[in-house]
Amino acid sequence: MQKDLTTKTSNRQGELDELLLDWRKCKRCPLYRNRKVPILPFGKMHPGSQVALVLDRLHLGSMYGDPLEDSSQIWILDKMLGYLGDGLSAHDLWVTPTTLCPTRGISPTDKAPDMMPFPRTNHTRECRERLHREVHILQPKVLIACGSEALKALHTKNPPKYKEVFGTVSEVYIQGDLVPYAVPVMTTYSISHLDRVGQSDPQVWDKFYTHLGVALDIAKQLENLETGNDST
């Protein structure tokens, strides 16, 4: 049994490596011109990631090739996980952006000097195949959509309105090898929004903390159901 699990994990690791290698050369949308190096996902690069976060946009340092793990987004995520007290860090999750290339050159729509502008619909559409394949390979129990653009990027068509599903767990259909299948998704704040307004509105931190905790609890429950380990 352990040998089968190890083989399965190894195969998926190989698939993930191959996927990310292919997308290093992507030229599907104009953003590739901004790419010094692709900003790769961050976290455990194997199926042990029970929760995967999708970020709505990249940090400013991505323009210079700075990795995702050096961004303020990861620092904030680490801080909130520390408050939960489960001994988890951002390394224990899987964090991936809606696009792997910086969005330099797009007019910003809000005031976030340390963040890239939001990607446009055509950018996220072209990167969706990568995003769905990534999720399919890793098989997280729960997704967290950080911001409305992340929610739109996950949905192939007819995404729900952000305000209607904010703070709740809904479903998104991820493209599998043959057919799409449903994965639970918690919709919450953009992490850049927390960084921007958190000092003036502490309630946003409380809400994000709650949403993160709910997502982790659901992931544990689903894992227990699959393994037959009822710890409740």
Side-chain angles (χ1 to χ4, degrees), residues 146-207:
C146 295
S148 60
E149 297 303 317
L151 183 67
K152 292 175 187 176
L154 281 166
H155 283 271
T156 304
K157 56 183 179 180
N158 301 325
K161 292 183 178 179
Y162 173 72
K163 290 183 179 180
E164 291 179 358
V165 294
F166 175 80
T168 67
V169 177
S170 55
E171 287 185 339
V172 62
Y173 280 84
I174 297 298
Q175 181 60 50
D177 293 331
L178 296 176
V179 297
Y181 58 92
V183 177
V185 56
M186 164 64 79
T187 302
T188 188
Y189 291 115
S190 164
I191 296 183
S192 62
H193 177 76
L194 293 175
D195 196 21
R196 205 162 60 250
V197 305
Q199 290 187 352
S200 59
D201 185 6
Q203 286 189 354
V204 301
W205 292 100
D206 294 337
K207 290 178 181 178

Side-chain angles (χ1 to χ4, degrees), residues 93-107:
L93 309 183
W94 183 259
V95 185
T96 191
T98 54
T99 66
L100 297 183
C101 299
T103 50
R104 180 178 57 185
I106 299 176
S107 299

Side-chain angles (χ1 to χ4, degrees), residues 59-75:
H59 56 295
L60 191 62
S62 63
M63 186 171 129
Y64 309 104
D66 292 348
L68 189 58
E69 62 187 287
D70 291 342
S71 70
S72 61
Q73 294 156 295
I74 298 301
W75 182 84

Side-chain angles (χ1 to χ4, degrees), residues 4-232:
D4 291 343
L5 181 59
T6 302
T7 300
K8 188 175 182 181
T9 300
S10 177
N11 290 342
R12 286 185 171 175
Q13 178 67 61
E15 285 185 66
L16 185 60
D17 290 342
E18 184 177 350
L19 172 73
L20 296 177
L21 181 62
D22 286 345
W23 282 81
R24 285 174 183 264
K25 302 172 287 186
C26 172
K27 293 186 178 180
R28 295 189 179 198
C29 80
L31 292 184
Y32 82 89
R33 298 188 184 97
N34 300 335
R35 182 176 64 219
K36 291 184 180 294
V37 296
I39 304 304
L40 298 179
F42 169 79
K44 287 185 177 179
M45 297 184 68
H46 60 71
S49 300
Q50 301 300 307
V51 174
L53 283 89
V54 180
L55 302 176
D56 56 351
R57 54 178 165 173
L58 290 169
H59 56 295
L60 191 62
S62 63
M63 186 171 129
Y64 309 104
D66 292 348
L68 189 58
E69 62 187 287
D70 291 342
S71 70
S72 61
Q73 294 156 295
I74 298 301
W75 182 84
I76 289 171
L77 180 58
D78 255 335
K79 183 177 180 180
M80 299 309 290
L81 286 168
Y83 288 149
L84 285 171
D86 290 339
L88 295 175
S89 73
H91 290 79
D92 297 309
L93 309 183
W94 183 259
V95 185
T96 191
T98 54
T99 66
L100 297 183
C101 299
T103 50
R104 180 178 57 185
I106 299 176
S107 299
T109 56
D110 64 341
K111 298 177 181 179
D114 61 335
M115 299 299 298
M116 281 282 147
F118 292 114
R120 291 176 178 162
T121 301
N122 63 310
H123 302 146
T124 54
R125 181 178 62 243
E126 296 299 341
C127 220
R128 184 177 291 120
E129 180 184 336
R130 180 272 312 170
L131 180 59
H132 275 224
R133 187 64 188 167
E134 206 176 296
V135 172
H136 180 56
I137 291 171
L138 285 166
Q139 295 285 298
K141 298 294 183 290
V142 177
L143 295 166
I144 300 178
C146 295
S148 60
E149 297 303 317
L151 183 67
K152 292 175 187 176
L154 281 166
H155 283 271
T156 304
K157 56 183 179 180
N158 301 325
K161 292 183 178 179
Y162 173 72
K163 290 183 179 180
E164 291 179 358
V165 294
F166 175 80
T168 67
V169 177
S170 55
E171 287 185 339
V172 62
Y173 280 84
I174 297 298
Q175 181 60 50
D177 293 331
L178 296 176
V179 297
Y181 58 92
V183 177
V185 56
M186 164 64 79
T187 302
T188 188
Y189 291 115
S190 164
I191 296 183
S192 62
H193 177 76
L194 293 175
D195 196 21
R196 205 162 60 250
V197 305
Q199 290 187 352
S200 59
D201 185 6
Q203 286 189 354
V204 301
W205 292 100
D206 294 337
K207 290 178 181 178
F208 183 79
Y209 173 87
T210 299
H211 301 164
L212 186 60
V214 168
L216 290 169
D217 285 344
I218 291 174
K220 289 176 186 176
Q221 292 172 24
L222 292 174
E223 176 67 13
N224 288 336
L225 285 173
E226 287 187 10
T227 60
N229 178 24
D230 185 4
S231 60
T232 58

